[in-house]
Amino acid sequence: MARTIAVIDIGKTNAKVALVDGESFGEIAVRTTPNGVVDAPPYPHFDTERLWAFILDSLKVLNVERRIDRISVTTHGATAALVDGDGVLVLPVLDYEHAGPQELLAEYEAVRPSFSETGTPKLPVGLNAGMQLYWQSRRFPEAFGRVSAILMYAQYWSYRLTGVLAGEVTSLGCHADLWEPVNRRYSTLVTGQGWSRLMPPLRKASDVLGPILPELAAATGLDAQTPVHCGIHDSNASLLPHVLTTPSPYAVVSTGTWVVCMAMGARHCELDERRDTLVNVNALGDPVPSARFMGGRAFSLLGGRNAPVGDDAVASVLARQAMILPSIPDDSGPFPGRQARWTIDRGQLTEEEAQVAVAFYLALMSATCLSLIGADGPVIVEGPFSGNGRYLAMLAAATGRRVLVGESATGTSVGAACLAVKGVPRPRLRPVEPSLPGAATAYVERWRSLASG
């Protein structure tokens, strides 16, 4: 049994290496670092060498605290690494917020598969990984010609740990234009562009790719036979403990830089690709209707805090219908292109009132996402927003369904640790008690009217 799993968890804003107990599924030690972007030629890119040094140093330090038995990897999506025959990057790993790929939008539109095939909506900047690859192949043809393998981001780090190339569907199916979720095969973009030969063998997220490389074992002090699992896209890591243990229908709201809503056992509805809905693929290979917006980014831009606020501030916000209308940022989510505004000047609100309005905005955006994907049953909130009481209360009011938060450890790191064990326990969930006064109903109706007007 894996007593201790080291999880390499690379988010868009921060990266961490966490030790997860294989019995309690609690994080017992964590090291973190900002995941900055290098704004330098040939385009803004992730500092993979700095992250690699951080990963190795963290494994070395944490292994002293408690012997690491297994390693699992989870990363944000919309990111691919292009390596040559020696496993060296032929181009830096592109930051998906770089708008460069949009230069070739018209060309790309002529070759990209339809939404009905891939469940991938047309997204801004570089959020479609297939569009990134197309742009790189056209803008840097000499370098792209040296590519031996296209690795999705989690599998890039697994490769650096083991030397084994692999593909995996949760990342390939993450608004990438690269995978057909229903048919369970590569898309016509991959075959049409001649990329099939660059795609490594498909492996399950839980598969052991191999032991850690001998030179890394020597550098970190880990046992040379420490197994490394293939790895998983981060939102799917949050979903995984529930996929393995919870009967559908239910929805999971994974919160972080992105708020990703995923509906298991959803009611049938036609997804609207113009509103940032998509089809994700879970760790079992099944399609999952999903929708998302940059909720964590909005929370930061709005100066959000998770500190408790008083009932008087809540009552005031509801009575005055002090609202934030979509969208922040304006290039993602269910209201694309809409310019955010306050219905009441923020300067007329106390800080507590402003914090209530921020939490309500994020909850109403989340509820909108859930409605767009036909979510049914209870709503399970994972990640940082699970500690924001006003967010949870408004989410319950806006959906009219039970909202649950974990009493046991959950989130991306713990979800990724589930890849390394058998017999995953069902997460312990606590229901959120309805706590908003009756004025919340009118507030929700008014927000929806203004947001859709």
Side-chain angles (χ1 to χ4, degrees):
M1 185 182 68
R3 181 170 174 264
T4 308
I5 304 105
V7 177
I8 298 165
D9 185 348
I10 301 187
K12 183 62 170 68
T13 305
N14 295 291
K16 69 179 183 179
V17 178
L19 295 187
V20 177
D21 185 274
E23 293 183 357
S24 70
F25 285 89
E27 287 188 4
I28 52 180
V30 180
R31 300 186 88 223
T32 64
T33 188
N35 186 17
V37 172
V38 179
D39 190 5
Y43 44 68
H45 55 273
F46 297 112
D47 193 345
T48 50
E49 292 313 302
R50 191 186 73 82
L51 287 173
W52 182 238
F54 165 75
I55 289 167
L56 295 184
D57 183 61
S58 296
L59 291 173
K60 180 178 181 179
V61 170
L62 292 173
N63 189 57
V64 172
E65 293 187 26
R66 181 160 156 171
R67 182 182 181 273
I68 293 170
D69 298 306
R70 290 175 176 265
I71 299 173
S72 185
V73 182
T74 183
T75 71
H76 60 78
T79 303
L82 306 174
V83 300
D84 64 16
D86 296 320
V88 177
L89 288 172
V90 301
L91 285 166
V93 176
L94 176 68
D95 172 23
Y96 64 62
E97 292 187 82
H98 177 51
Q102 294 292 322
E103 298 169 357
L104 301 181
L105 177 60
E107 279 186 35
Y108 184 67
E109 283 291 289
V111 300
R112 76 184 294 259
S114 68
F115 180 74
S116 62
E117 292 176 45
T118 64
T120 296
K122 181 172 68 176
L123 297 174
V125 292
L127 281 165
N128 294 127
M131 189 178 195
Q132 293 178 29
L133 296 171
Y134 184 85
W135 179 74
Q136 288 172 309
S137 72
R138 297 306 190 271
R139 284 287 181 260
F140 309 95
E142 189 277 330
F144 200 88
R146 302 198 309 273
V147 174
S148 177
I150 296 172
L151 294 171
M152 303 311 288
Y153 206 33
Q155 286 66 55
Y156 170 67
W157 296 110
S158 297
Y159 170 71
R160 292 199 67 166
L161 291 164
T162 64
V164 178
L165 298 166
E168 191 276 326
V169 295
T170 65
S171 293
L172 288 166
C174 176
H175 52 82
D177 277 329
L178 301 173
W179 188 254
E180 295 182 7
V182 174
N183 295 321
R184 298 178 182 237
R185 66 188 181 195
Y186 284 112
S187 73
T188 54
L189 176 67
V190 175
T191 56
Q193 294 300 306
W195 297 342
S196 298
R197 63 182 179 82
L198 304 179
M199 295 298 181
L202 288 172
R203 304 288 295 270
K204 295 179 182 178
S206 59
D207 281 356
V208 173
L209 297 188
I212 193 170
L213 289 168
E215 61 269 29
L216 302 183
T220 61
L222 270 68
D223 187 288
Q225 296 306 309
T226 304
V228 179
H229 294 264
C230 181
I232 188 170
H233 168 234
D234 56 9
S235 295
N236 269 292
S238 293
L239 181 65
L240 182 58
H242 307 288
V243 169
L244 295 175
T245 63
T246 305
S248 60
Y250 61 90
V252 171
V253 180
S254 174
T255 66
T257 301
W258 288 91
V259 171
V260 182
C261 300
M262 297 166 282
M264 296 294 293
R267 302 185 306 275
H268 176 74
C269 65
E270 293 296 327
L271 300 182
D272 186 347
E273 64 173 311
R274 298 166 299 177
R275 302 191 68 182
D276 221 345
T277 65
L278 61 149
V279 179
N280 269 306
V281 180
N282 69 27
L284 304 183
D286 300 324
V288 181
S290 306
R292 82 270 166 76
F293 69 104
M294 286 193 98
R297 179 68 54 79
F299 185 76
S300 177
L301 291 171
L302 290 165
R305 294 185 291 110
N306 280 331
V309 296
D311 291 341
D312 289 346
V314 173
S316 174
V317 167
L318 292 174
R320 299 166 69 185
Q321 295 200 335
M323 302 173 178
I324 306 167
L325 298 175
S327 291
I328 304 172
D330 63 6
D331 59 356
S332 78
F335 302 97
R338 296 286 296 276
Q339 295 295 313
R341 66 179 179 90
W342 290 75
T343 59
I344 292 176
D345 187 278
R346 181 168 181 162
Q348 298 179 20
L349 303 174
T350 67
E351 181 58 24
E352 280 200 351
E353 289 169 342
Q355 292 300 323
V356 172
V358 169
F360 284 0
Y361 165 75
L362 296 167
L364 288 162
M365 289 286 284
S366 302
T368 301
C369 289
L370 290 166
S371 70
L372 289 173
I373 58 177
D376 201 2
V379 179
I380 302 165
V381 179
E382 302 278 8
F385 289 1
S386 66
N388 188 316
R390 301 309 171 187
Y391 169 86
L392 298 171
M394 179 52 78
L395 186 61
T399 60
R401 300 205 300 277
R402 285 195 306 151
V403 173
L404 308 171
V405 295
E407 289 191 320
S408 54
T410 53
T412 56
S413 294
V414 171
C418 292
L419 299 175
V421 299
K422 295 181 179 180
V424 175
R426 186 170 179 173
R428 298 188 304 274
L429 301 173
R430 169 180 58 82
V432 173
E433 298 297 330
S435 59
L436 294 182
T441 301
Y443 186 97
V444 171
E445 291 175 353
R446 177 65 172 162
W447 187 91
R448 286 175 172 162
S449 175
L450 293 173
S452 60

